[in-house]
Amino acid sequence: MKKIAYFLPLLAIAATEPPKTDPAKLSAMTKELSSDPFGGRAPGTEGEKKTIDWAIARFKALGLQPGGPDGSWTQKVPLIHTRLADGPVSFGGTQLRQGTDVALTTVRPDPTVAIENAPLVFVGYGVEAPEAKWDDFKGLDLKGKVAVFLVNDPDFEAPEGVDAKGRFGDKRMTYYGRWTYKYEEAARRGAIGALIVHDTAGAGYPWSTANASNGENYDIVRGPEDQRIALQGWLSGEAATKLFAAESMDLTALRFQARSAAFKPVPLKARFTAKLPVTVERIESANVLAKIPGRVKPDETVQFAAHWDAYGEGPPDAQGRTIRPGANDDALGVAGVMELARLFKTGPAPERTLVFALWTAEERGLLGSEWYATRPTSPLEKTAANLTLDILQTAGLAKDVILVGAGQSSLEDMLTDAAAKQGRTITPEEASERGLFYRADHFSVVRRGVPALQLMALGGASDMREGGRAAGQKWLDGYMACYHKTCDAWTPDWDFTGPAQDVDLFHAMGRRLSKAGVWPEWRPASEFRAIRAESAAERK
Ligand SMILES: [Zn+2]
């Protein structure tokens, strides 16, 4: 009797214990997707076709249903690829050199960028944020003008005592600090061009990164009602200081003024001219979408996502390798989504519909997810959450989880609970001024109000079970040296127990979120709370 009594509780545990992510499966899928035949999975290449066929075959084998439009496994995503050729660019009387003074691109499908003697106006940080009671524009019409912005948001580097202090998450970057926001704001106000003054601290990366586009850019194909500005890009800090000085304007003093709520845009006397030929190429690409239908509330969804694309081929490295296989970024994320699909398919039918999304063209500017977010196959108002996998640490089991974008939503509480069950704690990301929260695919639905959480190991060094924080830092340094390069390649040295632990976190969170009536919420200070609130009635 005693023996039976001893065994019963164990059996009870075994019956309710959820299935676990298999590190060997993660490893095998990552290895395959990042192998040479996939060619670095660039959109519009043979590698795309192979990747999409691979993903559909897997989803089918797991018994999922198509999640795309009209019962399809894919959602077509038309893209444009633009390349600026050389031509004159002048600011006042000064000729600007592409790559040195400016890093310019266009996302308009026109044969030429032609801007002649456009008025220039300095708009400070260029932020209109009702929840922070902030408006840099003061009703200014930017029609036909070129706007000059500062990077980051007004309280980045703001000392105590100035208006901006603490209104935009302090050092943490908010969406208002991102270049994407500034270009969109310029377009909304009718500007013809936008220049952002680069500084390494504010941008989170050096000029070499800002300049890496080499005049090339990508976008989704947009309708006439949704056209972007004709010319966008970075103005080097050095060039900006000189150009403003030539106008008897002091950029340092303007920076101080821009931290005041009373700031008003400052028109420049100089005019801006650019005449640059553009090559435009169209690329037909696609997202892959699969689902497990909900049995109680099929119109409510939970989204698990990763991006299937990587950087394709580039110039040869020291060993002559040209393929940038994106093994961790984000073949491993795709493998993680596949494991989540397998685990949920193994378990009881969910109350809500679970959507498994593999986006295209994340590396080209979150474009596949952007296309989806403007043409969702499940309504965003009833998408309870998006959980995104994009780069996981492959050094083994960790004692903590790095949280990117701390302070945004109640999904963080769910993550904390799930982590605690694994004996892990939460560590907020390092250097939150880099704005990693705004730099992966979940952001396309975030800006339309859907609460989201991303696991992204770039956020900081993990506290490893073996070797502690130092071991985590060693992994991070090693990975950063290969980020977006030929050496982001699968090796037998990678320890997939770490990623498996992370995917299990999303499985645990997903099980809670799959229940009807569970609606994560944005925190009061979040810049996305207001937009979610607009559709609150849909979630009653
Ligand atoms: Zn990525």
Side-chain angles (χ1 to χ4, degrees), residues 42-117:
T45 64
E46 265 305 297
E48 161 158 0
K49 196 181 169 314
K50 241 180 126 47
T51 306
I52 287 180
D53 289 349
W54 179 94
I56 294 172
R58 289 249 158 199
F59 280 133
K60 277 187 185 166
L62 290 169
L64 269 69
Q65 294 185 13
D70 308 319
S72 145
W73 289 99
T74 57
Q75 177 182 42
K76 292 196 163 51
V77 181
L79 303 172
I80 57 162
H81 174 204
T82 60
R83 187 194 299 264
L84 289 180
D86 277 343
V89 180
S90 71
F91 188 120
T94 310
Q95 286 297 316
L96 300 180
R97 295 159 298 172
Q98 170 82 319
T100 309
D101 304 318
V102 276
L104 301 171
T105 66
T106 183
V107 287
R108 282 245 284 251
D110 305 331
T112 319
V113 171
I115 301 177
E116 215 178 321
N117 279 323

Side-chain angles (χ1 to χ4, degrees), residues 82-85 87-90 96 98 102-108 110 112-116 118 120 145-149 182-184 186-187 191-196 215 217 227-234 272-278:
T82 60
R83 187 194 299 264
L84 289 180
V89 180
S90 71
L96 300 180
Q98 170 82 319
V102 276
L104 301 171
T105 66
T106 183
V107 287
R108 282 245 284 251
D110 305 331
T112 319
V113 171
I115 301 177
E116 215 178 321
L120 279 153
K145 295 174 185 162
V146 174
V148 183
F149 291 80
K182 296 172 197 289
Y183 296 149
E184 286 159 8
I192 190 164
L195 299 170
I196 302 175
N217 212 335
Q227 276 309 306
R228 296 293 148 135
I229 47 179
L231 190 66
Q232 62 186 51
W234 295 95
F272 186 89
T273 294
K275 201 163 169 49
L276 304 165
V278 187

Side-chain angles (χ1 to χ4, degrees), residues 115-269:
I115 301 177
E116 215 178 321
N117 279 323
L120 279 153
V121 55
F122 174 72
V123 295
Y125 291 93
V127 171
E128 187 183 359
E131 75 282 7
K133 298 189 169 49
W134 197 272
D135 175 15
D136 284 327
F137 297 99
K138 309 281 189 300
L140 171 78
D141 184 4
L142 284 177
K143 203 159 178 7
K145 295 174 185 162
V146 174
V148 183
F149 291 80
L150 295 171
V151 71
N152 217 306
D153 54 35
D155 73 350
F156 172 72
E157 294 183 321
E160 283 306 332
V162 308
D163 285 351
K165 183 69 185 171
R167 287 207 212 191
F168 299 91
D170 278 310
K171 216 163 164 65
R172 176 178 75 81
M173 190 185 270
T174 60
Y175 184 43
Y176 304 112
R178 294 279 299 145
W179 49 262
T180 42
Y181 168 79
K182 296 172 197 289
Y183 296 149
E184 286 159 8
E185 200 58 51
R188 268 193 289 275
R189 291 167 191 277
I192 190 164
L195 299 170
I196 302 175
V197 178
H198 177 265
D199 75 277
T200 300
Y205 40 79
W207 177 254
S208 59
T209 305
N211 188 36
S213 58
N214 230 338
E216 286 183 70
N217 212 335
Y218 293 82
D219 200 7
I220 55 174
V221 170
R222 293 180 191 275
E225 74 295 342
D226 186 26
Q227 276 309 306
R228 296 293 148 135
I229 47 179
L231 190 66
Q232 62 186 51
W234 295 95
L235 179 60
S236 80
E238 214 173 308
T241 304
K242 279 189 202 151
L243 293 165
F244 276 67
E247 297 248 325
S248 311
M249 289 164 81
D250 178 354
L251 195 56
T252 309
L254 286 169
R255 229 176 249 285
F256 277 104
Q257 286 172 31
R259 293 178 192 137
S260 159
F263 171 83
K264 279 201 201 89
V266 186
L268 279 73
K269 286 193 288 293

Side-chain angles (χ1 to χ4, degrees), residues 307 309 328-330 362-363 389-391 439-441 456 479 483-484:
H307 64 89
D309 72 303
N328 195 329
D329 182 11
D330 195 19
E362 191 266 2
E363 304 288 14
L389 296 167
D390 198 351
I391 305 175
R439 286 163 62 181
D441 276 322
M456 183 180 259
Y479 184 72
Y483 180 50
H484 291 171

Side-chain angles (χ1 to χ4, degrees), residues 41-43 48 51-52 285-287 306-310 334 358-360:
R41 304 186 308 283
E48 161 158 0
T51 306
I52 287 180
S285 192
N287 294 324
H307 64 89
W308 64 251
D309 72 303
V334 171
L358 304 176
W359 312 122
T360 180

Side-chain angles (χ1 to χ4, degrees), residues 387-504:
L387 301 180
T388 289
L389 296 167
D390 198 351
I391 305 175
L392 303 171
Q393 68 81 10
T394 53
L397 298 172
K399 291 188 276 188
D400 64 352
V401 186
I402 306 296
L403 171 61
V404 174
Q408 282 288 2
S409 81
S410 62
L411 286 171
E412 293 162 25
D413 305 331
M414 262 187 215
L415 179 73
T416 307
D417 291 349
K421 292 202 177 84
Q422 292 183 342
R424 299 165 79 186
T425 55
I426 303 293
T427 303
E429 70 185 303
E430 293 163 18
S432 55
E433 66 272 21
R434 289 179 302 178
L436 288 183
F437 184 73
Y438 310 93
R439 286 163 62 181
D441 276 322
H442 64 296
F443 188 63
S444 296
V445 293
V446 160
R447 45 190 290 214
R448 277 109 188 163
V450 178
L453 195 114
Q454 96 216 85
L455 289 179
M456 183 180 259
L458 301 182
S462 296
D463 187 5
M464 307 305 297
R465 279 207 205 159
E466 279 176 45
R469 195 77 65 194
Q473 189 65 51
K474 188 167 171 235
W475 175 85
L476 185 57
D477 293 344
Y479 184 72
M480 283 312 290
C482 288
Y483 180 50
H484 291 171
K485 298 202 176 104
T486 51
C487 58
D488 183 3
W490 181 93
T491 91
D493 303 337
W494 282 3
D495 184 339
F496 285 84
T497 57
Q501 207 185 11
D502 289 342
V503 175
D504 282 338

